[in-house]
Amino acid sequence: MAQSKVGVIAQDLVDKIKHQQYQAGDYLPSEHQLMDLYGASRETIRKALNSLTDLGLIQKIRGKGSIVLNLDRYTFPISGITSFAELNNQLGLKAETKVLLLQKEDKLPVQFIKYFPEEENSTGFHLERLRLIDGQADVLDCDYLLSPPVNSLPREAAETSIYDYLENKQKLDISYAAKEMSVCKVDKRIQDLLQLDNDLAVLVASRNYLADTTKFELTLSYHRPDKFKFVDFARRKKIKL
């Protein structure tokens, strides 16, 4: 699927930051300069810059422009709700996905029940995907997509981006997630898949929701401890009391 103009510009700017063409402390070219550089409208440039702001790569300073932040954050953010495919595109990871399992279940698989007991009798699509970066296993994502609201899940979507499929084909409005991080013991299969030296992995368990607060996805994401890095870029949201 071709990237939008906004996505192409954002990706090019991310690449230039990653390769230090724009270094920490530098200001990006002005909006007008970027409009000329990319042959794009002001609205398109602003949307691309907003993408970099959301990633925590830049900070907009009124009257000066967009400054590149020193965050060294080319890793998986734990907060937010972004697909692996989107991260791969945005951060330029040399990543691939291997689908290990995709099947419809009448009830929640046993490994999920400890973390999501309220959904024990829910039907859904059980999906397991191994994420590799530079050819090395890095993350094992185990997902259970509740049905309803998810009414189908083709293998092609599982191999690319399930969020793209759910948002653009099934018209689901994905909105937010509640996540919990812990260190846990894993079985021999997960040890072998992630090439672990022992039975410990970092687990991120999450409940993912639509904009109308409907829960649509349960995720158990197992990370290699030696590769795992907690990075949480937070922006202040002012609340009027």
Side-chain angles (χ1 to χ4, degrees), residues 13 25-34 42 45-46 49-50 52-53 57-69 235:
L13 290 171
D26 289 346
Y27 282 92
L28 296 181
S30 69
E31 289 184 0
H32 284 295
Q33 289 172 321
L34 291 174
R42 176 179 291 237
I45 293 300
R46 285 184 172 176
L49 292 175
N50 286 340
L52 270 66
T53 301
L57 296 176
I58 63 172
Q59 173 68 41
K60 293 182 180 179
I61 300 177
R62 181 171 295 181
K64 291 187 176 181
S66 300
I67 191 171
V68 178
L69 299 179
R235 291 193 179 276

Side-chain angles (χ1 to χ4, degrees), residues 8 19 88 119 142 155 169 176 190 225 228-229 237:
V8 170
H19 297 293
N88 190 24
E119 300 294 346
C142 302
R155 190 176 185 87
K169 299 297 183 181
Y176 63 96
I190 295 178
F228 185 80
K229 181 179 180 183
K237 300 292 185 181

Side-chain angles (χ1 to χ4, degrees), residues 37-143:
L37 178 63
Y38 293 107
S41 67
R42 176 179 291 237
E43 180 182 5
T44 297
I45 293 300
R46 285 184 172 176
K47 286 181 178 179
L49 292 175
N50 286 340
S51 295
L52 270 66
T53 301
D54 291 342
L55 283 168
L57 296 176
I58 63 172
Q59 173 68 41
K60 293 182 180 179
I61 300 177
R62 181 171 295 181
K64 291 187 176 181
S66 300
I67 191 171
V68 178
L69 299 179
N70 184 15
L71 295 177
D72 187 25
R73 64 181 312 271
Y74 293 100
T75 186
F76 297 100
I78 299 305
S79 62
I81 181 165
T82 307
S83 75
F84 183 86
E86 289 167 337
L87 284 174
N88 190 24
N89 288 333
Q90 289 171 335
L91 301 183
L93 303 174
K94 294 180 179 178
E96 60 179 308
T97 294
K98 289 186 178 180
V99 176
L100 306 179
L101 175 71
L102 175 56
Q103 61 188 31
K104 186 77 176 287
E105 303 279 6
D106 292 329
K107 62 184 304 184
L108 194 66
V110 64
Q111 68 266 37
F112 288 82
I113 293 175
K114 175 182 177 182
Y115 301 95
F116 314 106
E118 76 279 7
E119 300 294 346
E120 182 174 359
N121 296 312
S122 299
T123 60
F125 297 92
H126 185 191
L127 172 63
E128 289 188 359
R129 292 173 294 177
L130 188 64
R131 314 297 199 169
L132 300 98
I133 298 179
D134 292 327
Q136 183 179 54
D138 203 72
V139 182
L140 174 64
D141 279 333
C142 302
D143 300 291

Side-chain angles (χ1 to χ4, degrees), residues 218-237:
L218 311 172
T219 297
L220 296 175
S221 184
Y222 298 92
H223 298 247
R224 287 177 56 105
D226 61 327
K227 292 287 211 173
F228 185 80
K229 181 179 180 183
F230 180 81
V231 176
D232 186 7
F233 183 85
R235 291 193 179 276
R236 167 73 171 154
K237 300 292 185 181

